[in-house]
Amino acid sequence: MSTLTLKGPTWVTVRQYRRTLWVAGAAVLLSLVSILWLRYWDERTVGTDERTGHALLRIAMDWASSAVIVVPLLVGAFVAGPMVARELESGTYKVALTQSVSPARWLGSKLLVAGAVTVACTLVLIGTYRLGWANFATTWGFPWYRPGTYTGTGPVLVAQSLLALALGALIGQLTRRTVTAMALTGLVTGLVLLLVAQLRWSLMPVKTLTSPLQPGLTAALPVTARETGSGLITASGERLPSTACWERTQHWDICPADLNVTGQYWDYHPASHYWPLQLIETGIVLALAALAAFAAFRVLRARHP
């Protein structure tokens, strides 16, 4: 049992932030209990005129879709501010260094505690989101590629939170000001995640569906597919904008002979791309997190050799 007992700076970190850790755990547990109850209410009223449970569950999932996106920002802000910058700003970190604790061990203990809690909580949040999403996975408003749904149902959320944690540790040391570190970490984390999200749909080659020209350029894609592009295709294989014929003839399906249009196309990601995209993006974000953590320890070593 003694090997499982927290010791040294790790024990100090847990004791120092025990209230915050309890609050985080309670919030995650409350989310899980709420979704379980709403699912039970929804399933209990299926086939009756009482759809209140279903409506409330849908509202809860709408909120959850937005909430999971900001989870990494909250993690990064907390690590950057209260855990790192505040101690550097006030000088309380010097107490730990006088107890035969190296600077690297001081920072490592904080990242270890924050990382363990972050991984545990985000995994529970993913399971909670999936429980609620199961009732709406095939309905309008909750496709697998929606930002909130995509983030809240896979390991990407864990990787994003760990990236925010590492950025918080780095920025907290660079600024050494609590409020500044929290704001800057939230901004930088948001920008990095936004950039990765913009690249998300280019991480795998799309599939292409073609068909003869039809009125209104009606798509025949699978219901679960995410369309990434569409237009007209000529006999030579050249792609034209979907408005090319309309601009000349004022009809979607009547094209001038000189354009030599033979059909239409759609580029899309099928639902089967979900897990490959999740794993590729998770790997990229974890690599960025490792770089940020490495930079954080390099800064620490440079300032506290």
Side-chain angles (χ1 to χ4, degrees):
M1 286 295 293
S2 60
T3 58
L4 300 178
T5 304
L6 296 177
K7 299 178 181 178
T10 304
W11 179 86
V12 173
T13 301
V14 172
R15 290 285 298 173
Q16 188 176 6
Y17 300 103
R18 62 187 182 278
R19 292 180 181 175
T20 303
L21 300 179
W22 276 110
V23 170
V28 171
L29 182 60
L30 178 62
S31 300
L32 176 59
V33 171
S34 299
I35 293 299
L36 285 173
W37 168 246
L38 289 173
R39 272 203 60 173
Y40 168 74
W41 191 0
D42 180 22
E43 293 171 359
R44 187 170 61 89
T45 58
V46 168
T48 72
D49 292 331
E50 280 192 55
R51 304 297 295 170
T52 308
H54 185 80
L56 288 178
L57 180 58
R58 191 175 189 90
I59 293 172
M61 292 307 300
D62 279 328
W63 279 94
S65 296
S66 300
V68 293
I69 295 176
V70 302
V71 166
L73 307 185
L74 297 177
V75 172
F78 176 75
V79 172
M83 293 196 79
V84 177
R86 186 169 65 187
E87 293 202 21
L88 294 174
E89 184 179 11
S90 63
T92 55
Y93 73 98
K94 296 178 182 178
V95 176
L97 301 186
T98 61
Q99 305 299 316
S100 300
V101 175
S102 66
R105 191 180 176 194
W106 169 79
L107 180 61
S109 66
K110 293 186 178 299
L111 294 184
L112 177 62
V113 172
V117 174
T118 296
V119 170
C121 288
T122 49
L123 287 175
V124 175
L125 286 176
I126 291 170
T128 301
Y129 190 97
R130 279 188 162 273
L131 282 173
W133 180 63
N135 286 31
F136 303 101
T138 58
T139 65
W140 175 85
F142 291 93
W144 65 271
Y145 50 80
R146 182 182 178 185
T149 301
Y150 180 87
T151 302
T153 56
V156 163
L157 179 60
V158 179
Q160 290 180 349
S161 299
L162 292 177
L163 172 61
L165 184 151
L167 288 173
L170 174 61
I171 295 172
Q173 291 184 80
L174 293 175
T175 62
R176 303 172 72 92
R177 294 292 183 271
T178 305
V179 177
T180 303
M182 294 177 71
L184 192 57
T185 298
L187 177 62
V188 173
T189 301
L191 290 176
V192 173
L193 296 184
L194 180 62
L195 176 61
V196 174
Q198 293 298 315
L199 300 174
R200 175 177 299 157
W201 306 115
S202 60
L203 296 177
M204 285 188 67
V206 296
K207 291 190 174 183
T208 301
L209 175 68
T210 60
S211 74
L213 202 59
Q214 300 174 8
L217 301 181
T218 304
L221 295 177
V223 177
T224 57
R226 183 191 187 276
E227 182 181 327
T228 60
S230 63
L232 305 175
I233 189 168
T234 67
S236 63
E238 180 185 0
R239 291 185 169 189
L240 301 175
S242 57
T243 58
C245 295
W246 171 267
E247 292 172 353
R248 299 273 297 275
T249 66
Q250 302 301 302
H251 292 280
W252 294 105
D253 55 330
I254 300 179
C255 298
D258 60 300
L259 292 182
N260 202 18
V261 172
T262 59
Q264 51 195 338
Y265 75 90
W266 296 269
D267 291 332
Y268 69 99
H269 284 288
S272 60
H273 282 187
Y274 169 82
W275 278 111
L277 286 169
Q278 280 274 341
L279 296 177
I280 293 171
E281 185 174 343
T282 297
I284 293 173
V285 176
L286 286 178
L288 294 175
L291 287 175
F294 176 76
F297 280 98
R298 291 288 292 181
V299 170
L300 182 68
R301 179 179 299 180
R303 292 187 173 182
H304 304 280

